[in-house]
Amino acid sequence: DRNVVTEVKTYPGLEHSVSMEELNDVAAFLKCVLPPISDGDESSTDGDRNVVTDPAQMSVGELRDGIRQAGLEEKAKGMFDKSELVNLLSQHLKEKEQQK
């Protein structure tokens, strides 16, 4: 288990809004507590080609790697739910297969 030091901060005058200071603090916190996203160098391979697995069986990190490798980062922006990532990559692979 990690020993995470937490700090309670208030942002005067915000009530029901957000400030860049608050967003920067959240980003810094997440960088401290979340593992880094793989850059794709550790992807599983079969000889010299990547093995395509069922997106529904992939971890979120594997989905994000697959989405990056497929050039779908722009379409994935704003997607936070795993099912959205699965659907995006599944649809891409289905379209790619149909083009063959």
Side-chain angles (χ1 to χ4, degrees), residues 5-71:
V5 176
T6 59
E7 177 182 351
V8 176
K9 288 184 110 178
T10 59
Y11 302 89
L14 287 184
E15 295 183 29
H16 296 287
S17 61
V18 167
S19 72
M20 284 308 296
E21 179 187 8
E22 182 180 20
L23 292 175
N24 289 334
D25 288 344
V26 170
F29 170 76
L30 292 174
K31 282 183 179 180
C32 289
V33 299
L34 295 178
I37 295 174
S38 168
D39 65 2
D41 291 339
E42 299 159 3
S43 61
S44 60
T45 59
D46 180 14
D48 290 329
R49 63 187 179 99
N50 287 336
V51 174
V52 176
T53 59
D54 178 10
Q57 303 302 316
M58 293 179 174
S59 69
V60 172
E62 291 169 328
L63 286 165
R64 292 214 178 269
D65 285 345
I67 287 167
R68 183 186 51 75
Q69 290 173 4

